[in-house]
Amino acid sequence: MKDQDYRFSVAPMMDWTDRHCRVFHRHLSRRALLYTEMLTTGAVIHGDRQRLLGFDRCEHPVALQLGGSDPRELAEAARIGEAFGYDEINLNVGCPSDRVKDGRFGACLMAEPELVARCVEAMKRTVAIPVTVKCRIGIDEQDPEVALDALAHAVVASGCDALIVHARKAWLNGLSPKENRNVPPLDYDRVYRLKHAMPGVTVIINGGIAGIEDAKAHLEHVDGVMLGRAAYQEPWRLLSVDREIFGEAAPHATMQDAIEAMMPYIEQQLVRGTRLHAITRHFVGAFHAVPGARAFRRHLAEQGVKPGAGLEVLRDAIAHVAARAPAEAA
């Protein structure tokens, strides 16, 4: 198995990084590691697996993020994910939503490092692909110097292949999930100290990273960078990832080229009954500082949601964009 390259990845984001979003991102970067939305173990084991887990082969490398806290259930869900062809299984120990907390998974597990370690161990015994953990630096009144080290040492001892750290605390009491994404202060230095203390462990940093230049600066201190909202809301940034991070050419020179290259995929999806808006909603931030970008967004918003909307709507929207700008300004 080829070693996973963790230098750059796009964060798992609920309601955002679905299969259509990931296909779009893959047309912007060949090398970025992509992640699914979080799926609970119950959904994976008992739900419609093809609907929940199915993905296009072009998405590789792509990781499945799981939510859960029962080692046996996580092992079974990981086995299913591996059988579907995912390149990595990631355990969510960072999501602060009430629904996640009530289900005893997500960020609340920062308080139970030994349980997380047992979960990782169970998955590692079951699958041959990497098993990783995404966490916060701590929760509520925890001391991040103690909490993050405790979790890191526990999961690494259990075989965890990489640790992805969102460099903020999560406040499970007092802040909403939305507030937890930006109110707790960022502490990148805490993640740097973890890497310095555990040089043999693959550490990826996440949280508040604005773009590729910021990512390159973080790579001076850690093994990888995970971009979240900036990658989704401003996908044009991904056009420079392969060149700036990996020293390779981008798959497409312009955003227009990337979207047009998706046309066959979109056509296939429409034939299967997928509504155009389910795909084009991921294109809203595709153009930046390009004449016609606002008209592009408006046309998709007004026409793409209509029943029966087809490729002609997308083509008409692209026609509003005046210039085939290079990747830097697409």
Side-chain angles (χ1 to χ4, degrees):
M1 180 179 66
K2 182 181 178 182
D3 289 340
Q4 194 69 271
D5 192 328
Y6 288 102
R7 277 179 286 175
F8 186 90
S9 55
V10 177
M13 292 174 280
M14 293 296 291
D15 300 320
W16 290 6
T17 52
D18 62 19
R19 66 177 71 185
H20 308 310
C21 174
R22 298 192 304 267
V23 169
F24 177 39
H25 287 174
R26 182 57 70 219
H27 279 80
L28 306 178
S29 167
R30 292 188 183 93
R31 298 296 303 277
L33 174 58
L34 305 178
Y35 284 78
T36 69
E37 306 168 89
M38 183 191 69
L39 292 173
T40 65
T41 53
V44 172
I45 295 170
H46 304 294
D48 182 341
R49 294 178 186 175
Q50 188 57 49
R51 181 180 64 82
L52 293 169
L53 296 170
F55 65 95
D56 192 281
R57 67 179 63 186
C58 80
E59 295 175 42
H60 290 294
V62 58
L64 169 64
Q65 187 183 65
L66 295 175
S69 59
D70 182 285
R72 286 186 293 182
E73 290 181 357
L74 280 164
E76 174 63 10
R79 183 194 64 77
I80 293 167
E82 183 181 47
F84 261 80
Y86 283 96
D87 299 294
E88 172 191 323
I89 303 297
N90 177 261
L91 177 61
N92 185 319
V93 187
C95 182
S97 79
D98 292 338
R99 183 174 65 85
V100 168
K101 182 174 63 174
D102 292 343
R104 202 187 177 199
F105 53 91
C108 65
L109 291 176
M110 291 291 300
E112 301 185 75
E114 295 306 320
L115 173 59
V116 178
R118 293 198 300 274
C119 292
V120 169
E121 183 179 24
M123 290 187 285
K124 287 291 294 182
R125 286 199 307 264
T126 305
V127 301
I129 56 179
V131 173
T132 64
V133 169
K134 187 174 188 291
C135 66
R136 295 284 184 124
I137 61 174
I139 56 172
D140 297 331
E141 300 298 337
Q142 283 185 328
D143 178 353
E145 297 301 324
V146 176
L148 183 57
D149 278 356
L151 183 78
H153 284 286
V155 299
V156 168
S158 294
C160 179
D161 292 283
L163 193 62
I164 305 160
V165 186
H166 185 152
R168 307 179 197 268
K169 269 190 172 184
W171 287 91
L172 304 182
N173 298 299
L175 291 181
S176 69
K178 182 178 180 180
E179 290 170 330
N180 261 304
R181 291 196 290 268
N182 50 45
V183 172
L186 287 159
D187 189 353
Y188 295 134
D189 287 340
R190 177 65 189 95
V191 185
Y192 298 165
R193 289 195 295 276
L194 177 70
K195 176 60 187 177
H196 181 75
M198 305 179 75
V201 176
T202 299
V203 175
I204 298 99
I205 199 166
N206 170 237
I209 300 167
I212 307 309
E213 288 305 312
D214 283 358
K216 290 165 68 176
H218 284 298
L219 287 172
E220 300 282 332
H221 305 278
V222 292
D223 302 291
V225 174
M226 176 178 276
L227 213 63
R229 282 170 290 165
Y232 185 86
Q233 295 170 350
E234 301 171 331
W236 51 270
R237 295 185 183 277
L238 299 180
L239 280 167
S240 61
V241 165
D242 290 3
R243 182 184 67 251
E244 295 293 329
I245 304 297
F246 299 98
E248 300 176 6
H252 299 286
T254 70
M255 185 60 75
Q256 289 97 321
D257 292 338
I259 293 176
E260 287 174 6
M262 280 195 66
M263 296 289 190
Y265 170 83
I266 296 172
E267 194 164 33
Q268 291 172 358
Q269 290 296 315
L270 293 176
V271 169
R272 294 174 183 173
T274 303
R275 295 189 63 173
L276 181 68
H277 177 67
I279 303 171
T280 59
R281 70 188 184 95
H282 302 299
F283 300 167
V284 170
F287 297 100
H288 174 69
V290 175
R294 183 176 299 177
F296 169 83
R297 293 193 298 269
R298 184 187 308 116
H299 191 83
L300 286 183
E302 294 175 353
Q303 304 300 321
V305 298
K306 293 182 177 180
L311 282 177
E312 71 283 351
V313 171
L314 181 55
R315 292 192 178 100
D316 290 344
I318 293 175
H320 286 291
V321 182
R324 303 188 78 83
E328 293 86 350

